C-alpha cells in the first residue's frame, strides 16, 4: 500500500510534473515516483476547504490532481436545485470527488457516500479521516434492489471508475454487500433530498431499492449517467420511464455523441 506525501511536498512535486516539459522529464519522474514507492499526493480540494489523498496512477484521481476536480458540473447542476440543510447521497462515490465537494457547501447538512469497491473504499475512508470537520459518512457497500451479496467487478487498475456489477472489464471479481436504500432509511439513515448516482449501468437497481422513499419522501432531484445509443436511443430509457412514473421530469439533451456519457438531471415535478 502506498503512503502519502505531505501537502507542501505534494505541491512542489506536482508543480514540477505539470510544469514546463524538458527532454528527460518523463523518464526522471518515473524513476523518482518508483523510488518513492508510488506515494499518494495530498492536495487542497474544493477551494481549499478540504484535503484529498490521491494516487496519480488512477484516471479519476489524476484528473483531480491535474485540473482540481472531476466533473464538478455534476454538483453545480444539483446545487441549482438545493435550498438549505440538504442531505446528499453519493451513490458510486469512488474516492469522493463529488461527495467532498458537496460536503463543503453551506447548503448541505450532510453527505452519505456509498462505495462497494473494497480498494477504493479504503481510499475514501482515508480521505474521510483527513477531513474530520466535514459532515460526511462513508458506507462501504452498494445500494441495490435487494439486500444481498453480489459479485462486483473491480475494473481496470488504471481506472477504478469503470468498476461495477456488469463485467465490462472482467477484472478481479469480488463479493460485496448490496443494501436497499429503503432499508437504510428505516434503520435511521437520513432521507436524501438530493441524489447523485454513478454505478455503471445499475441505476435502475439503486432506484428500485429506494421505491418507498421515492413515493413517500421523494428527493428534489436525482442526477445519473446516461448516453445516447444508435438512432437516438437512450441507454437509460427504462430509468427515465421509472422516474417519470415517480413524478420526475428528466432534462434530456438533444440526441448526439453516440456512446458518449452525459449526466442526466431528473427534477421532481
Amino acid at each position: 500500500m502506498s503512503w502519502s506525501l505531505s501537502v507542501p511536498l505534494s505541491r512542489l512535486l506536482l508543480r514540477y510534473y505539470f510544469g514546463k516539459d524538458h527532454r528527460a522529464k518523463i523518464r526522471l519522474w518515473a524513476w523518482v515516483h518508483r523510488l518513492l514507492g508510488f506515494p499518494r499526493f495530498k492536495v487542497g480540494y474544493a477551494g481549499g476547504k478540504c484535503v484529498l489523498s490521491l494516487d496519480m496512477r488512477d484516471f479519476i484521481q489524476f484528473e483531480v490532481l491535474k485540473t482540481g476536480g472531476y466533473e464538478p458540473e455534476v454538483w453545480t447542476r444539483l446545487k441549482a436545485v438545493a435550498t438549505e440543510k440538504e442531505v446528499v447521497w453519493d451513490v458510486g462515490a469512488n474516492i469522493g470527488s463529488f461527495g467532498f465537494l458537496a460536503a463543503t457547501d453551506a447548503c448541505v447538512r450532510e453527505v452519505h457516500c456509498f462505495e462497494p469497491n473494497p480498494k477504493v473504499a479504503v481510499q475514501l475512508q482515508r480521505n474521510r479521516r483527513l477531513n474530520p470537520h466535514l459532515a460526511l459518512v462513508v458506507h462501504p457497500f452498494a445500494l441495490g434492489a435487494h439486500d444481498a451479496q453480489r459479485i462486483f467487478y473491480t475494473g481496470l487498475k488504471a481506472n477504478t471508475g469503470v468498476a461495477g456489477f456488469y463485467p465490462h472489464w472482467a477484472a478481479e471479481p469480488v463479493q460485496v454487500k448490496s443494501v436497499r436504500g429503503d432499508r437504510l432509511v428505516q434503520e435511521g439513515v437520513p432521507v436524501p433530498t438530493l441524489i447523485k448516482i454513478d454505478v455503471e449501468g445499475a441505476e435502475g437497481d439503486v432506484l428500485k431499492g429506494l421505491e418507498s422513499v421515492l413515493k413517500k419522501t421523494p428527493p428534489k432531484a436525482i442526477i445519473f449517467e446516461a448516453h445516447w445509443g444508435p438512432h437516438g436511443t437512450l441507454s437509460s430509457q427504462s430509468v427515465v420511464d421509472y422516474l417519470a412514473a415517480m413524478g420526475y421530469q428528466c432534462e434530456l439533451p438533444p440526441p448526439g455523441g453516440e456512446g458518449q456519457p452525459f449526466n442526466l438531471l431528473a427534477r421532481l415535478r
Side-chain angles (χ1 to χ4, degrees), residues 8-9 17 30 55 58 68 128 131 141 145 148-149 167-168 214 245 250 256 259:
L9 184 54
Y17 181 82
D55 185 340
D58 179 77
R128 174 67 190 91
N131 299 280
F141 50 79
Q149 294 289 322
H168 303 302
L214 294 175
C250 291

Side-chain angles (χ1 to χ4, degrees), residues 56-213:
M56 73 183 314
R57 295 172 295 175
D58 179 77
F59 172 74
I60 290 176
Q61 297 175 66
F62 181 83
E63 285 298 306
V64 176
L65 290 170
K66 181 181 179 181
T67 67
Y70 181 75
E71 297 186 349
E73 68 276 6
V74 177
W75 171 239
T76 299
R77 293 183 67 192
L78 266 186
K79 184 181 176 181
V81 186
T83 52
E84 60 180 7
K85 297 182 179 179
E86 304 290 357
V87 176
V88 181
W89 281 23
D90 181 6
V91 186
N94 202 266
I95 50 90
S97 57
F98 171 88
F100 283 97
L101 182 60
T104 61
D105 200 293
C107 71
V108 172
R109 190 180 90 200
E110 60 186 282
V111 175
H112 290 261
C113 292
F114 299 87
E115 179 50 57
N117 189 331
K119 293 181 180 179
V120 180
V122 168
Q123 293 180 274
L124 179 59
Q125 292 276 21
R126 181 184 299 116
N127 286 329
R128 174 67 190 91
R129 290 193 295 271
L130 286 173
N131 299 280
H133 61 292
L134 295 180
L136 184 145
V137 180
V138 174
H139 302 274
F141 50 79
L143 292 187
H146 307 284
D147 299 332
Q149 294 289 322
R150 300 182 63 186
I151 297 298
F152 184 88
Y153 297 89
T154 55
L156 300 173
K157 289 183 179 179
N159 188 356
T160 54
V162 298
F165 289 109
Y166 304 103
H168 303 302
W169 309 98
E172 296 186 37
V174 296
Q175 194 170 72
V176 301
K177 182 170 74 170
S178 178
V179 179
R180 291 177 299 114
D182 285 339
R183 173 188 158 189
L184 294 178
V185 170
Q186 292 168 0
E187 293 177 350
V189 175
V191 175
T193 59
L194 299 171
I195 302 178
K196 164 251 169 183
I197 307 175
D198 188 354
V199 289
E200 299 299 303
E203 297 82 8
D205 287 343
V206 171
L207 293 171
K208 287 175 184 175
L210 275 164
E211 187 168 331
S212 292
V213 167

Side-chain angles (χ1 to χ4, degrees), residues 195 213-214 217-222 240 242-250 266-269:
I195 302 178
V213 167
L214 294 175
T217 52
K220 299 172 185 176
I222 300 167
V240 171
Y242 181 82
L243 286 172
M246 291 292 177
Y248 287 85
Q249 177 67 48
C250 291
R267 293 175 181 254
L268 188 65
R269 294 193 190 97

